[in-house]
Every structure is written in C-alpha cells, then in structure tokens.
C-alpha cells in the first residue's frame, strides 16, 4: 500500500511540474505607445533624425514602426529647414552639414503623438595627439596620448566630456585579424575616473593594470589637466605564436594596428551614453536601483546626440 501511494504522489508531482511550464497569456493593456525620436548633430555631417513608435515589451523586436509621416524641421543657427524622409536609410535627412559651435534644434510633429523638441550645440572638438609609441624588449607596445582643448572654444571652466574608442589588432593576412587586449596602467585609469574598478579587477593584469579587449572609454577631464599624458599598453604576441599552419598560413611578419577614435561630447550626449552603458552592464538583480535611460527630447522618448570626432591609426 505504501508503495502504491508513493507512486501516485510522484505521478501527481510530475503532472504539476509539467503544468507549471505552460505559457501564460498576457491579458493586460499593451497600448500607451509614445513617439521615439533619435537624432544626431555630428560635426562634418548633416543632421539626421529617426522617428519611430515605442514597442510594447512583449512585441517582437522586428515590430519596429517608423513614423515616416511625421513632420520634421530643424533650426540650425537660427535658420529653419524642413527635413525630407529618405526611405533607403529610413531617416529624415538635412541637406547641409553642421560644424562645431553650431546651435541645432530638432522639432518633430505627428498627428497621433503630438510635438517633441530638443536642442543642443555641436561641441568644439578637443584634439588628441600621439606623444609616444614604442615597443619594449618584452614585446609591450606603449602608446602615450595627450588630450588638448580646442583653444577657439570659450574658456568657461566647464567640464569636458569624451568618448575614446580603442581597438588594437594584429593583421595575420589580408582577411585574418587577431584582436589584442589593451592594458590601462593605474595612473591613467585614475585620470579616466576608473579607480573604483580596481577594487575587483586588480588581479587581471600585471601591476594591477585594467585589462579590456578593445572598445569604448567614457570619461571627463575632471581628473586630469590639459595636455596630460594617457598611457595604454598593448601586449604584442610574436608572429610564431599565430599557428595557422592548418590552413597553410605561417606569417613571418604581423602588422600591428591601433585604431583610435576620439569624440568630444556635449553633457547631454555623455549622460545618454552613460545611462545606456549602465543599463547594458546591469545584472538585473531583483532589489536594485532602477536605471533611467537619459534623453533630452521634450514630448517624446529619445535623444539628440551631438559630438565632434577625430580618428588616428598607428602601425607597428
């Protein structure tokens, strides 16, 4: 009798566990859509504007609805222009480029979602200079950069906002590249506002260097002076360490490249990127502060992104 009872309990438990895996139909309100406007005013390019409708969280990512019937105008240094819709790029595009110091206001109207506005100024670009680039006997490639403010910019003593994209790789063949890690020594990490990271990454690199596999560094100039050096170290594996003999490739010479894109941002653009990065790095713990994606459009979701950029490529 005990044996049969135990068997019955196990069968019931299995049935309950299966029933718990059934999909639950959502019967709540999926409406409440808002207009989403994302625009860019980047020095040397025309203003571009994307206008879409927000998606419900259960909607498919492919369910992206472009509001191509919106009315989009900009006010560029006091001159108002209507932007035309480009169906190939799915963007509203201006016909003239913007330059550093220009004032840009984006105005979007739609019959179903009302009116949205945002304004910003294209930032004066700070410049980045390669002060030193050398390889040590232990195959460590050191790149020293300095950042200098644009002296045509009014000296108002305000904080400057930057994004530095560093990519280091070794070209094995015309079609094969090997991405390299980049080490940031402690003094540079402190200048970039990354000192708190050393609480948990100190053992990742020699002498406590911060190690990352290329990518973006977002920082301000609050912790370093105009012209201060920022040092980055790139370990360079020797050619013989790349074993591609299986494919018949045995390179005698490897071309090492460090690609640098340096952007000067407005405070609004900096805070938008920072909030997106914070959201992407969130581990979604249950009891955690909610993360707000910053935006500067009044009357809609989204952001007017403004920047000036410079690109440098160094080879070894």
């Amino acid at each position: 009798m005990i044996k049969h009872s135990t068997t019955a309990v196990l069968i019931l438990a299995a049935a309950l566990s299966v029933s718990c895996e059934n999909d639950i139909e959502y019967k709540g309100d999926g409406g409440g859509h808002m207009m989403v406007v994302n625009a860019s005013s980047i020095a040397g390019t025309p203003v571009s504007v994307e206008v879409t409708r927000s998606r419900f969280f259960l909607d498919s990512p492919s369910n992206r609805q472009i509001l191509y019937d919106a009315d989009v105008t900009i006010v560029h240094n006091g001159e108002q222009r209507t932007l035309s819709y480009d169906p190939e790029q799915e963007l509203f595009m201006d016909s003239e480029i913007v330059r550093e110091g220009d004032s840009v206001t984006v105005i979007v109207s739609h019959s179903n979602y009302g009116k949205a506005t945002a304004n910003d100024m294209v930032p004066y670009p700070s410049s980045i200079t390669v002060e030193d680039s050398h390889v040590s006997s232990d195959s460590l490639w050191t790149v020293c950069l300095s950042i200098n403010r644009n002296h045509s910019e009014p000296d108002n003593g305000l904080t400057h906002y930057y994004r530095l994209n560093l990519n280091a790789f070794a070209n094995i063949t015309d079609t094969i590249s090997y991405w390299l890690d980049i080490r940031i020594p402690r003094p540079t990490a402190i200048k970039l506002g990354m000192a708190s990271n050393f609480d948990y990454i100190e053992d990742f690199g020699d002498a406590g260097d911060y190690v990352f596999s290329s990518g973006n560094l977002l920082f301000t100039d609050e912790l370093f002076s105009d012209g201060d050096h920022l040092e980055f170290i790139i370990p360079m594996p020797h050619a013989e360490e790349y074993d591609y003999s299986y494919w018949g490739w045995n390179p005698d010479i490897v071309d090492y490249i460090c690609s640098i894109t340096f952007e000067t941002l407005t405070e609004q653009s900096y805070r938008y990127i920072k909030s997106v990065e914070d959201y992407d790095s969130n581990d979604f713990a249950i009891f955690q502060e909610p993360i707000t994606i910053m935006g500067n459009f009044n009357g809609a979701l989204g952001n007017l992104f403004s920047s000036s950029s410079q690109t440098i490529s160094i080879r070894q």
Side-chain angles (χ1 to χ4, degrees), residues 129-134 141-145 229 314:
T129 305
V130 179
E131 297 290 339
D132 185 28
S133 173
H134 67 270
W141 182 10
T142 299
V143 176
C144 290
L145 307 175
H229 284 185
I314 313 171

Side-chain angles (χ1 to χ4, degrees), residues 39-92:
S40 67
S41 56
I42 300 173
T45 66
V47 173
S48 60
V49 182
E50 180 190 66
V51 186
T52 60
R53 191 196 74 174
S54 62
R55 292 197 313 265
F56 185 51
F57 77 100
L58 290 178
D59 288 349
S60 167
S62 61
N63 187 23
R64 175 172 169 268
Q65 296 197 15
I66 299 172
L67 302 180
Y68 56 85
D69 56 343
D71 295 320
V72 181
T73 60
I74 66 166
V75 180
H76 177 204
N77 291 337
E79 178 185 348
Q80 183 166 316
R81 295 191 295 273
T82 300
L83 273 59
S84 56
Y85 181 71
D86 185 337
E88 290 187 1
Q89 300 191 58
E90 298 183 338
L91 297 172
F92 291 86

Side-chain angles (χ1 to χ4, degrees), residues 129-132 143-147 187-188 191 224-232:
T129 305
V130 179
E131 297 290 339
D132 185 28
V143 176
C144 290
L145 307 175
S146 67
I147 297 173
T188 294
K191 293 176 184 178
F224 64 87
S225 303
D226 200 33
D228 266 5
H229 284 185
L230 303 175
E231 183 176 280
F232 303 93

Side-chain angles (χ1 to χ4, degrees), residues 43 77 99-103 121-127 148-156 159-162 262-266 306-309:
N77 291 337
R99 303 187 185 280
E100 57 267 17
D102 285 1
S103 172
M121 186 189 78
V122 182
Y124 289 91
S126 296
S127 64
N148 299 276
R149 283 182 47 206
N150 188 326
H151 295 293
S152 63
E153 176 188 10
D155 187 6
N156 50 21
T159 301
H160 293 77
Y161 302 90
Y162 303 120
F262 176 64
E263 293 177 281
T264 304
L265 310 173
T266 61
S306 302
S307 72
S308 299
S309 66

